[in-house]
Amino acid sequence: MKEGTTIDLITMGCSKNLVDSERLIRQLEANGFRVTHDAEQPRGEIAVVNTCGFIADAQEESIQMILQLAGRKKRGELRRLYVMGCLPQRFPKELRKELPEVDKYYGKFDYLELLSDLGKSVREELRLERRLTTPRHYAYLKISEGCDRHCAFCAIPLSTGRHKSRPVEEIVQEARWLVSQGVRELQVVAQELTYYGLDLCGRRRIAELVERLADVRGLDWIRLHYAYPADFPLDLLRVMRERENVCKYLDIAFQHISDPVLKAMERNITSGQTYELIDKLRSEVPGIHLRTTLMVGFPGETEEQFEELEGFVRKARFERLGAFAYSEEAGTRSALRLKDDIPQEVKEQRLSRIMRLQQRISAEVQGAKVGKVMKVMVDRVEGDYYVGRTEYDSPDVDPEVLIAKDKELREGEFCQCRIDEADDFDLYASVIP
C-alpha cells in the first residue's frame, strides 16, 4: 500500500481499546499513512474498526459500524476493511462466516500484524509511543492485559485471557515519554489493577508501581481505575494518602452487597468485608472520592436483596456511581448455570430506583463543595464557560466544573477556583485572582 493513503480508524468501547488504537496510529503514521480517528464521516481508502465485546449492546454497536463500512466497500467507496479488538478475539470463526466483507480480522494482541499486511513493518523503537487522541494534557496508561478474576456475569476474560502485567520499568518509561509530549495527568487503567505484579513475582506491586509513577517529574495527577475489592492491597492507601500527585480517587466496582448475590456472582467477598473495606478506604485516605459500579437484576435477585442494595447506596454514599441491568452473555458462568429469571421491566425499574437515589446523593455531595477553593484542570472551552475537572473527576464519566470566563485560561492549565454553585452533578466556579 502506497504512502500517503488515508486510513480511518474507529475505536469502540473502553479506554484500554483507545490505547491500542493510539499505538497503532503511531506505527501507521511512522510508515507514511495519513490516519483519522473517529471521523464523523469516514472517507479514507482503508478503514480499521477496533471493536468492543463487553456486553451485547456494545457488540451490536461494533457490528453496526462494520456493516456501515462494509456498505461503503460494496459501493466502491472503500478499498479495504479491517477489524481488530475484543470482538474478533472472542468470535473469530463466527465473524469470518457472517461478515466475509472484512479483509482480515485481528484479535486483541496481534493487531500490529496489520502493518505487514499493508506492506510495511513495525518500528520497534516506537513501541512505547502513541499518537494521543485525548486532549494533549492527559492520557490513559495501560499497565496490564487480561483478568484472572472469573466473575460469573463477565465475558471480558473470554476475550482478554489471563492477567499479564507489564514490567514496571517499561510502564515508567512510557509515562516519561507521555510527559515529554505535554501530558500532565495519567489515567492508570487495567481490567483489574490491584492484581498488578502477581504474575511477575508472586506479589501485588500496584503500590510500588504508583509510587514510581508519582516520582516522574511533570506528572501533576495520577488517577486509578478499575480496582477489585476482594483482597485489596491496603499498602496502596499509604501511597494515595502521602503522594500529592496521586488523586484521592478510586474506581472500584462493588457490583452488589447481598451475600447470596455476591456468592452467585462469584465475587469472593462478603457484605461485611465490603463495608470494612469502604471504612478503611475512607479512614486511610481522608477526602477520597469513590466511584463504583453496581448491577441490578442478577439471576435470582429478590426484592429484599435489591432493597439491601438500595440501603448500601444510602449508607456508603458513593461520590460517583454507575449502574446497569444484568445482561446474559454467552459463555459466562451465569449464562451456563443460571436462569435469567428477572423480567426486563423489573430490571429497568430497579435500575431507575438506584440512579434516582444516587442523583440525590450526588446533589448533596456536590452541594457541600460550594464555597470551597479547589484546584481545577481546564479541559476545553464550551460556550460561555471553560470546562474543567477537580482531582475527583475522571474524564468523560464524572461531573465537570464550569468556570466563568472572568480570566483567560488555556487548555491543560491548572487554576484555583472558588465553587459558587452546584447542581445534581456539575459545579459552577470562578477563578481566584
Side-chain angles (χ1 to χ4, degrees):
M1 187 63 62
K2 65 180 181 180
E3 293 188 5
T5 298
T6 297
I7 298 176
D8 291 309
L9 198 156
I10 299 100
T11 302
M12 321 292 287
C14 67
S15 55
K16 296 182 289 296
N17 269 11
L18 186 66
V19 172
D20 294 338
S21 291
E22 291 178 342
R23 186 162 286 120
L24 178 58
I25 292 172
R26 179 71 179 99
Q27 290 285 339
L28 289 168
E29 290 182 334
N31 277 278
F33 296 103
R34 293 193 300 267
V35 185
T36 70
H37 183 257
D38 286 349
E40 288 187 15
Q41 295 184 323
R43 290 290 182 265
E45 300 168 61
I46 299 172
V48 181
V49 184
N50 190 355
T51 58
C52 178
F54 177 43
I55 58 175
D57 287 348
Q59 295 168 21
E60 180 61 26
E61 186 179 2
S62 292
I63 293 294
Q64 289 303 316
M65 176 57 69
I66 296 168
L67 289 172
Q68 177 184 329
L69 292 166
R72 284 194 63 220
K73 187 180 178 188
K74 186 176 180 179
R75 294 190 299 271
E77 300 170 0
L78 182 67
R79 291 176 60 188
R80 295 187 189 178
L81 173 58
Y82 300 101
V83 174
M84 59 182 278
C86 295
L87 213 54
Q89 183 72 30
R90 187 176 170 196
F91 304 112
K93 294 180 181 178
E94 295 88 339
L95 286 171
R96 283 193 290 267
K97 179 180 177 182
E98 297 297 327
L99 294 168
E101 302 92 337
V102 174
D103 290 279
K104 189 169 180 179
Y105 290 96
Y106 306 89
K108 278 285 295 176
F109 311 109
D110 63 352
Y111 61 88
L112 289 180
E113 289 180 10
L114 174 62
L115 273 295
S116 62
D117 292 329
L118 294 175
K120 304 295 182 179
S121 60
V122 173
R123 298 273 295 274
E124 293 293 336
E125 73 276 16
L126 304 178
R127 275 192 176 270
L128 297 183
E129 297 187 10
R130 293 136 57 185
R131 197 256 270 172
L132 296 181
T133 59
T134 56
R136 186 184 176 198
H137 54 279
Y138 72 82
Y140 295 94
L141 180 65
K142 183 162 56 171
I143 65 171
S144 65
E145 294 281 7
C147 184
D148 280 5
R149 308 289 189 177
H150 293 286
C151 303
F153 54 83
C154 186
I156 290 175
L158 300 176
S159 297
T160 61
R162 297 293 302 273
H163 179 97
K164 186 176 181 180
S165 303
R166 297 176 60 199
V168 171
E169 290 300 332
E170 180 181 288
I171 295 170
V172 173
Q173 184 180 348
E174 183 175 344
R176 292 194 183 108
W177 181 82
L178 288 166
V179 169
S180 75
Q181 303 304 298
V183 168
R184 304 181 69 180
E185 174 186 9
L186 284 180
Q187 319 295 333
V188 178
V189 295
Q191 193 55 49
E192 209 285 69
L193 63 80
T194 59
Y195 209 85
Y196 178 81
L198 269 174
D199 57 314
L200 295 178
C201 60
R203 62 183 176 85
R204 298 169 189 270
R205 299 180 66 189
I206 185 62
E208 175 188 340
L209 173 64
V210 174
E211 199 146 36
R212 288 287 304 279
L213 290 173
D215 286 336
V216 175
R217 295 184 63 180
L219 272 182
D220 294 278
W221 281 351
I222 299 167
R223 192 186 314 279
L224 306 178
H225 286 274
Y226 318 127
Y228 190 91
D231 305 313
F232 186 90
L234 296 175
D235 56 342
L236 176 61
L237 302 183
R238 176 192 60 79
V239 180
M240 297 181 71
R241 181 178 64 250
E242 295 179 357
R243 293 303 191 106
E244 289 188 4
N245 59 348
V246 179
C247 296
K248 293 179 172 59
Y249 176 105
L250 185 65
D251 192 332
I252 178 168
F254 287 106
Q255 302 298 355
H256 217 281
I257 195 62
S258 166
D259 279 329
V261 178
L262 288 170
K263 184 176 181 180
M265 287 180 168
E266 301 183 49
R267 293 287 288 172
N268 303 306
I269 194 170
T270 66
S271 173
Q273 290 168 337
T274 298
Y275 279 113
E276 286 177 12
L277 176 58
I278 292 172
D279 288 345
K280 192 76 171 176
L281 293 171
R282 294 203 186 279
S283 63
E284 291 288 321
V285 189
I288 192 172
H289 277 42
L290 299 178
R291 161 167 279 282
T292 198
T293 304
L294 301 177
M295 178 186 289
V296 301
F298 188 78
E301 181 191 57
T302 65
E303 182 64 26
E304 182 180 19
Q305 290 164 348
F306 170 72
E307 289 173 358
E308 186 179 355
L309 184 64
E310 283 186 306
F312 176 53
V313 174
R314 290 191 189 94
K315 185 173 181 180
R317 292 181 62 81
F318 294 105
E319 288 79 9
R320 314 284 184 243
L321 183 148
F324 60 100
Y326 172 77
S327 171
E328 187 174 271
E329 296 300 320
T332 60
R333 284 179 161 93
S334 60
L336 295 171
R337 302 173 184 177
L338 302 173
K339 181 181 178 182
D340 186 5
D341 58 354
I342 310 296
Q344 187 62 31
E345 64 180 40
V346 174
K347 293 179 184 178
E348 295 301 329
Q349 289 168 1
R350 291 177 179 176
L351 182 61
S352 294
R353 283 167 62 179
I354 288 291
M355 295 314 298
R356 285 198 301 270
L357 172 59
Q358 179 60 28
Q359 185 173 355
R360 294 195 294 273
I361 293 170
S362 177
E364 293 168 3
V365 168
Q366 295 297 81
K369 295 172 182 173
V370 173
K372 293 185 176 180
V373 174
M374 306 184 79
K375 181 180 179 180
V376 178
M377 172 181 275
V378 180
D379 276 341
R380 65 188 186 277
V381 179
E382 195 171 282
D384 296 330
Y385 297 96
Y386 295 104
V387 180
R389 292 173 293 109
T390 71
E391 71 170 297
Y392 309 115
D393 310 309
S394 191
D396 300 325
V397 295
D398 286 330
E400 295 178 313
V401 182
L402 281 68
I403 309 166
K405 288 185 177 178
D406 299 329
K407 177 184 176 183
E408 185 175 349
L409 301 173
R410 298 187 309 275
E411 183 179 297
E413 178 181 358
F414 284 100
C415 57
Q416 293 293 320
C417 291
R418 182 183 64 250
I419 308 303
D420 300 319
E421 298 179 54
D423 59 24
D424 289 350
F425 296 102
D426 295 329
L427 300 173
Y428 296 81
S430 51
V431 179
I432 299 216

